[in-house]
Amino acid sequence: MRHDGRNPQQLRKVTLQTNVFHYPEGSVVIRFGNTIVSCSVTIEAEVPSFLQGTGTGELIAQYHMFPRATRKRNMETPVEDTMIIQHLIERSLRAVVDLEKLGERSIVMDCDVLQADGGLQAASITGAFVALRLAVDTLLQKKVLQEDPINEPVVSVNVGLFPEGVYVDLDEKEEKFALAKMNLVMTESGKFIEIQGRGVGSTFDGEQLNEMLFYGKSAMEQLILEQKSVMFKPLQQERGEPLKTIIIATRNTGKAQEFKTMFGRAGYEVKTLADYPELPDVEETGSTFEENARLKAETIAYLLNQPVLADDSGLKVDALGGMPGIYSARFAGEHKSDAGNNAKLLYELTDVPDEKRTAQFHCTLVFAASGKESLVVEAQWSGRIGRIPKGENGFGYDPLFIPNDSTKTAAEMSSEEKNKMSHRGQAMAKLSQKWQKWLEGER
């Protein structure tokens, strides 16, 4: 336990108050424990002279600490410290904003520290993004902007190494005694923008570096959820969803049709992400089917405070060490194409004999709801990979997948036949036996 009673990898209490001030286009007061930072966004319909006529916008950050933000009154924060944090805020936000989509407009971000107790950079960047998101949403609603210039959320946290191990979100007292310190900035997709690390009268090895990165990344994933919970709180309040609603984490309404039958029998209304166009896509940064399904289900359940069912499925080929696996949809590249994926699969298996072309379709379903441990079911459909695509009644790898005890590919089967045998059908059958008791309790 730390001096304030937290566990080593536990964040301080984080709160974000939105639209606090009347005049800025977006404003947030963020608290990391006793650290309080005011973040305000001004959007101006002009750019510096060197950008005029380019059609590109500008993003500028200003950072300031109030004189009595610290234990003793300070008339001035050292200019060097101010500029370092100011430039970090600018770099962090610019990394997730397409300034060309902004047009010739300037975003001016003011981050003012009202009270300092460690983690000033982390609080400033995390709060600044929410203020920016609110400001841009206003321009989109007013049709001032035709395209959203923001690519994804960004957050920051500080991490420290101590004799007892790694702590995240250090307060002022802990910052003074850390053997090594890191400031991390990361996007929702798990990509780092900034990694600042240094030993403080000490050294650290590669294993300790990886540990700091790992726990820092986990803490930042929690911060992204905090951001989203306030950015989408109006959505929850306005919609006032009925109690008996279940959301399927897909924008494909056809894919959710089979679930509507299952849940409809129990009196539940089923919706999909197509009913929530304001919600952003959840980045699938997990390394397993379950991790990706959990990310989708638990994130959306947290944001909407409704039960959410998500799935992650794919093809595992034994001769390829389980690939394409979680990368099934983008095996041939980021631009999803069934034909491209099938062509790549056949190429990879060119010299593999028929008896070694075994494979399994895998499906993981994760059902998440507030206050409950998520329900997880899995199923597999075993078979082998053919040499020529056959059949029209399917998608993905169906034209190449020949189930065990069959001479037909999955794409040559009728929908009814396939649904009884498939990995998805098996997983749904398992789910049908468990979900209602899990969601509603003993019956």
Side-chain angles (χ1 to χ4, degrees):
M1 300 293 285
R2 296 155 73 170
H3 75 92
D4 59 2
R6 283 185 291 154
N7 294 325
Q9 284 78 53
Q10 183 180 356
L11 292 164
R12 290 175 285 180
K13 184 178 180 182
V14 178
T15 61
L16 294 112
Q17 294 174 271
T18 58
N19 298 316
V20 178
F21 306 116
H22 181 69
Y23 297 112
E25 281 74 15
S27 63
V28 167
V29 171
I30 185 170
R31 296 169 180 256
F32 274 43
N34 291 324
T35 288
I36 307 173
V37 181
S38 166
C39 305
S40 298
V41 170
T42 301
I43 299 183
E44 300 174 340
E46 58 183 4
V47 292
S49 57
F50 69 90
L51 286 175
Q52 290 175 5
T54 64
T56 299
E58 176 66 302
L59 191 152
I60 304 163
Q62 297 288 328
Y63 174 83
H64 178 256
M65 185 181 294
F66 280 19
R68 196 58 209 273
T70 53
R71 297 182 186 278
K72 294 182 180 180
R73 188 173 188 274
N74 292 318
M75 288 302 294
E76 288 186 11
T77 306
V79 174
E80 184 179 355
D81 291 350
T82 297
M83 295 304 293
I84 287 172
I85 297 178
Q86 191 166 290
H87 289 156
L88 178 58
I89 297 169
E90 286 182 355
R91 289 196 301 273
S92 301
L93 295 176
R94 282 177 177 169
V96 296
V97 175
D98 186 335
L99 293 175
E100 290 186 2
K101 290 182 180 178
L102 187 65
E104 292 194 14
R105 297 179 181 84
S106 293
I107 295 173
V108 182
M109 174 67 64
D110 290 296
C111 294
D112 299 304
V113 179
L114 309 182
Q115 186 166 283
D117 186 26
L120 303 183
Q121 297 178 36
S124 297
I125 292 167
T126 303
F129 174 79
V130 176
L132 176 62
R133 177 73 271 174
L134 295 173
V136 168
D137 282 347
T138 299
L139 296 187
L140 289 168
Q141 290 164 8
K142 293 179 177 179
K143 307 298 184 184
V144 175
L145 292 178
Q146 302 305 311
E147 292 185 88
D148 188 352
I150 298 178
N151 297 320
E152 58 179 325
V154 61
V155 291
S156 177
V157 77
N158 63 353
V159 184
L161 180 65
F162 294 81
E164 301 83 8
V166 173
Y167 294 174
V168 302
D169 187 19
L170 312 184
D171 61 18
E172 182 181 31
K173 183 175 182 179
E174 290 172 332
E175 285 183 341
K176 290 179 180 178
F177 294 103
L179 303 176
K181 295 188 289 187
M182 297 190 77
N183 288 305
L184 304 173
V185 184
M186 188 185 80
T187 67
E188 182 186 14
S189 59
K191 296 177 181 176
F192 289 102
I193 295 172
E194 197 94 10
I195 299 176
Q196 299 177 348
R198 63 190 182 279
V200 185
S202 180
T203 61
F204 55 95
D205 58 29
E207 185 175 340
Q208 291 168 320
L209 171 62
N210 287 335
E211 194 175 358
M212 286 190 282
L213 289 172
F214 175 80
Y215 288 120
K217 183 174 184 291
S218 297
M220 288 187 285
E221 288 170 350
Q222 296 175 47
L223 288 173
I224 287 170
L225 283 179
E226 294 290 342
Q227 286 180 327
K228 288 186 172 182
S229 70
V230 298
M231 290 189 291
F232 294 101
K233 190 171 289 183
L235 177 64
Q236 299 172 19
Q237 295 168 346
E238 289 170 14
R239 288 186 175 268
E241 298 288 4
L243 291 177
K244 299 197 73 170
T245 297
I246 291 173
I247 297 157
I248 311 301
T250 178
R251 298 191 189 278
N252 184 337
T253 54
K255 190 176 179 182
Q257 193 61 42
E258 52 201 317
F259 292 111
K260 290 187 177 182
T261 303
M262 179 194 301
F263 296 129
R265 292 194 199 101
Y268 283 85
E269 180 182 6
V270 172
K271 294 192 173 185
T272 71
L273 298 186
D275 296 301
Y276 303 85
E278 304 92 338
L279 281 177
D281 291 332
V282 178
E283 293 288 341
E284 297 181 15
T285 56
S287 58
T288 65
F289 291 109
E290 181 177 334
E291 286 178 5
N292 283 330
R294 275 186 181 274
L295 278 170
K296 289 183 284 187
E298 293 177 357
T299 299
I300 297 166
Y302 179 82
L303 293 177
L304 297 180
N305 194 29
Q306 289 289 334
V308 176
L309 179 68
D311 82 286
D312 198 35
S313 304
L315 178 70
K316 301 188 297 181
V317 180
D318 296 323
L320 301 181
M323 289 292 285
I326 61 171
Y327 306 105
S328 294
R330 52 189 187 277
F331 192 39
E334 287 300 321
H335 299 291
K336 297 179 181 180
S337 163
D338 288 350
N341 289 336
N342 281 310
K344 180 174 174 59
L345 180 60
L346 287 174
Y347 174 78
E348 296 291 340
L349 295 175
T350 300
D351 298 323
V352 178
D354 290 349
E355 65 273 14
K356 293 186 178 180
R357 296 167 76 92
T358 53
Q360 306 85 39
F361 268 129
H362 179 95
C363 176
T364 296
L365 297 176
V366 174
F367 209 166
S370 179
K372 292 181 177 292
E373 177 62 33
S374 295
L375 174 64
V376 181
V377 297
E378 297 181 319
Q380 291 201 147
W381 192 19
S382 298
R384 64 190 187 282
I385 304 301
R387 294 189 175 274
I388 302 173
K390 294 180 181 180
E392 303 294 332
N393 187 33
F395 58 93
Y397 300 96
D398 284 358
L400 288 176
F401 183 77
I402 305 170
N404 287 346
D405 302 321
S406 176
T407 57
K408 298 188 293 186
T409 69
E412 292 178 297
M413 295 178 172
S414 67
S415 298
E416 294 76 14
E417 186 180 9
K418 185 165 64 173
N419 289 341
K420 290 178 183 178
M421 302 170 60
S422 74
H423 52 307
R424 188 175 171 85
Q426 293 180 55
M428 285 185 61
K430 291 181 180 180
L431 183 70
S432 68
Q433 299 171 12
K434 300 179 179 180
W435 75 268
Q436 200 163 3
K437 181 178 178 181
W438 168 82
L439 185 60
E440 300 176 354
E442 294 290 341
R443 295 183 59 76

